[in-house]
Amino acid sequence: MAGYENGSTTRKQILDACVVLFYEKGYFATGYDDICAKAHVSRNTVHYHFKTKHAILDDVLWYFILNNRNLAAKYCPAENCHFLIATYCLWYQAKADPHMRRFLCECFQNEQVYIGRPDIPDIHVMMYTYLWGDFKKLIQIPEYSFV
């Protein structure tokens, strides 16, 4: 069994490939063949570590949240605020970066959210109303804090 890699190393390799692919191409435009080629693994290996493509999506989203959380921990001494700041940073990235915006829209595209406004796509209303409009008012963070 020469060349055997630790399972966690292979899982990380697949996840790292998906982070890049989902960011650059988008979740829906990325196929298993793309993932296998980028991660240098077989399709069976991908299915062994992640039962569905949606399971990969969840881990990639968590990867972005944890990166922002670690960044928040660097600059904010209040530990109970780290995930709150990380979430704010993620949505700010969505506002500023079209790749991240597409990725997050694809993440939540199939989530069931009732808005009651048939003229506006649910995801846009949810992102603005719940995460931009009310959130900034609630904690009173000025726009320039995260530029």
Side-chain angles (χ1 to χ4, degrees):
M1 278 216 202
Y4 172 77
E5 292 187 31
N6 184 340
S8 62
T9 304
T10 305
R11 188 178 189 348
K12 184 179 177 341
Q13 189 175 334
I14 295 167
L15 184 61
D16 290 344
C18 289
V19 165
V20 172
L21 288 168
F22 290 176
Y23 178 80
E24 290 177 355
K25 292 179 70 172
Y27 171 72
F28 294 117
T30 301
Y32 278 106
D33 292 337
D34 299 322
I35 296 168
C36 294
K38 183 87 171 166
H40 306 291
V41 295
S42 70
R43 192 178 183 116
N44 287 338
T45 303
V46 173
H47 285 295
Y48 175 78
H49 289 283
F50 298 96
K51 299 304 178 207
T52 64
K53 192 174 164 193
H54 193 22
I56 301 172
L57 179 67
D58 290 341
D59 278 12
V60 170
L61 178 60
W62 189 240
Y63 168 87
F64 285 120
I65 291 170
L66 284 181
N67 277 352
N68 285 333
R69 186 225 165 265
N70 293 338
L71 186 64
K74 240 174 148 177
Y75 297 103
C76 177
E79 192 171 322
N80 61 338
C81 293
H82 292 171
F83 277 108
L84 183 67
I85 293 169
T87 304
Y88 181 83
C89 290
L90 188 68
W91 293 109
Y92 189 85
Q93 289 166 342
K95 179 182 174 190
D97 182 356
H99 291 288
M100 184 61 76
R101 184 168 41 253
R102 180 195 56 224
F103 170 72
L104 290 174
C105 285
E106 289 176 345
C107 282
F108 300 111
Q109 184 169 340
N110 295 326
E111 300 296 326
Q112 298 298 315
V113 177
Y114 177 74
I115 299 299
R117 301 250 341 243
D119 56 326
I120 300 174
D122 293 351
I123 185 65
H124 298 294
V125 174
M126 183 183 77
M127 282 176 66
Y128 182 78
T129 302
Y130 296 107
L131 296 168
W132 278 109
D134 296 339
F135 180 75
K136 285 196 325 191
K137 287 180 211 166
L138 176 69
I139 60 172
Q140 299 176 356
I141 295 177
E143 182 79 21
Y144 57 82
S145 296
F146 294 99
V147 176

